[in-house]
Amino acid sequence: MNIIFMGTPAFAVPSLERLHESRHKVVLVVTQPDKPSGRGKKLKKSEVKEKAEELGLEIFQPDKIKNEENIEVLKSYKPDAIVVVAYGQILSKDILNLPRLGCINVHASLLPKLRGAAPLNWALIKGEKKTGITTMLMNEGLDTGDMLLKAEVEIDENMNVGDLHDILMHKGADLLLETLEKLEKNELSPQKQDDSLSSYAPMINKEDRKINWKLTAKDIHNLIRGLSPWPTAYFTMDEDTVKVYKASYINDDSDYQPGYVIKANKDGIFVKAGEGAVILKEIQMPGKNKMPVEAFLRGNKFPEKIMLE
């Protein structure tokens, strides 16, 4: 099959690699335009663009894919299918109807759960026990298309979003190839999603990232691992922002107020939560590198008996 591949971040790279290695032909790679990055605002290529260049594939980087002239470019490649993996732009009806076999999306959740932009983060924040990959035929809705295949992954209680990302990006690549093979042979029966079972996984904003010490210690632990290593949970102390990359939690029936620092030692920084206590294990102080609390305390003191915000 002739395939147009649309993707941008690292999550999409294994899918592009597997397609390139398969018997299918990637006729065009569509990815987001290079973006200014860092203090020098030097243009940075997407991870998909870097991989496409390495593989010698043709690349297209429109600002707005649904402009008429860009749709004409896509038509000229006569794709049998368009594969979309975390591309980052909404496709118009004209694009969705363009390929013979449709536009196939690799989505990082077990649809209809966690539709939206950040399913990996929210699966952990919500304390889900399992998640996975769903391939689907795209329509004009937000992750509402008919489902094709699913692959499940169990979520360990200490897994962070970086761990989950790396597992699912390879699982997604495998499922994509299986989906294309079965779709081409007409061996799939697309399944409608039950909208009544759907939930939403919006983009993470700064307010989502701030630790609310009134939550249970388990919920705070889930928030921290659901945002680690990026974009990271945080709290404020004396108006400074402290990022948290790793934590655990324990039962604690003391009468301290939520946010109270009980103690800080080599085992971590113990903070009272609405229920139980959180043990901060890896933090990043302002202007410093992230480090384990044990290492931080060798050369620094963390104030005890204070309230964190």
Side-chain angles (χ1 to χ4, degrees), residues 28-302:
L28 182 68
V29 173
V30 184
T31 190
Q32 294 276 52
D34 298 355
K35 299 285 177 68
S37 178
R39 291 182 180 177
K41 298 299 180 184
K42 185 178 179 182
L43 288 179
K44 184 179 185 298
K45 302 173 185 177
S46 73
E47 288 87 348
V48 162
K49 181 178 180 179
E50 289 179 345
K51 179 54 64 174
E53 287 180 339
E54 180 186 318
L55 298 176
L57 298 173
E58 191 170 345
I59 299 165
F60 184 42
Q61 295 178 271
D63 286 323
K64 293 184 179 179
I65 189 62
K66 55 187 179 183
N67 285 356
E68 190 173 335
E69 62 270 23
N70 295 328
I71 295 173
E72 290 301 316
V73 171
L74 300 182
K75 284 182 180 177
S76 71
Y77 286 86
K78 297 181 173 58
D80 296 299
I82 293 177
V83 168
V84 183
V85 188
Y87 172 47
Q89 292 192 41
I90 295 172
L91 306 189
S92 66
K93 186 176 181 179
D94 287 338
I95 297 174
L96 295 172
N97 293 334
L98 174 61
R100 175 174 62 88
L101 293 174
C103 293
I104 299 144
N105 181 230
V106 178
H107 182 76
S109 82
L110 298 174
L111 290 171
K113 267 192 173 184
L114 299 175
R115 296 170 176 171
L120 294 171
N121 303 96
W122 287 106
L124 297 182
I125 293 169
K126 290 174 180 287
E128 298 285 354
K129 301 297 184 186
K130 67 178 181 180
T131 188
I133 295 288
T134 305
T135 53
M136 67 173 176
L137 290 172
M138 297 175 70
N139 62 18
E140 292 181 87
L142 179 64
D143 301 325
T144 56
D146 291 354
M147 301 176 293
L148 298 172
L149 292 176
K150 290 185 180 183
E152 292 188 0
V153 169
E154 298 293 323
I155 299 178
D156 180 86
E157 189 178 37
N158 293 309
M159 183 183 289
N160 69 22
V161 75
D163 301 327
L164 185 59
H165 172 279
D166 291 352
I167 292 168
L168 288 185
M169 70 180 185
H170 294 291
K171 182 82 69 175
D174 292 340
L175 196 67
L176 170 62
L177 266 294
E178 183 182 352
T179 299
L180 289 174
E181 293 300 316
K182 291 185 175 181
L183 198 61
E184 190 177 31
K185 296 175 183 176
N186 200 28
E187 294 177 354
L188 291 178
S189 299
Q191 300 292 314
K192 296 285 184 188
Q193 295 189 42
D194 184 345
D195 292 340
S196 69
L197 300 177
S198 69
S199 57
Y200 185 48
M203 288 286 288
I204 302 291
N205 60 39
K206 188 173 183 180
E207 189 174 304
D208 295 324
R209 294 168 49 214
K210 192 173 192 301
I211 296 172
N212 178 0
W213 298 108
K214 293 179 182 178
L215 295 175
T216 68
K218 183 176 182 179
D219 285 344
I220 294 170
H221 168 66
N222 287 339
L223 176 74
I224 290 166
R225 68 195 184 99
L227 300 175
S228 179
W230 188 89
T232 65
Y234 73 94
F235 61 87
T236 56
M237 182 176 67
D238 295 331
E239 298 185 357
D240 284 335
T241 296
V242 181
K243 295 179 179 180
V244 185
Y245 289 85
K246 188 176 181 181
S248 60
Y249 65 98
I250 56 171
N251 292 327
D252 181 278
D253 57 3
S254 64
D255 293 329
Y256 297 122
Q257 292 296 308
Y260 183 82
V261 179
I262 301 168
K263 61 183 177 180
N265 58 34
K266 63 181 179 60
D267 295 321
I269 299 164
F270 292 69
V271 186
K272 185 71 173 93
E275 180 184 308
V278 181
I279 309 172
L280 307 181
K281 297 284 192 178
E282 187 174 33
I283 61 173
Q284 184 175 10
M285 300 297 287
K288 305 292 185 182
N289 294 326
K290 71 175 180 179
M291 63 177 67
V293 166
E294 182 181 8
F296 173 79
L297 291 176
R298 289 194 198 112
N300 305 273
K301 284 189 176 181
F302 193 93

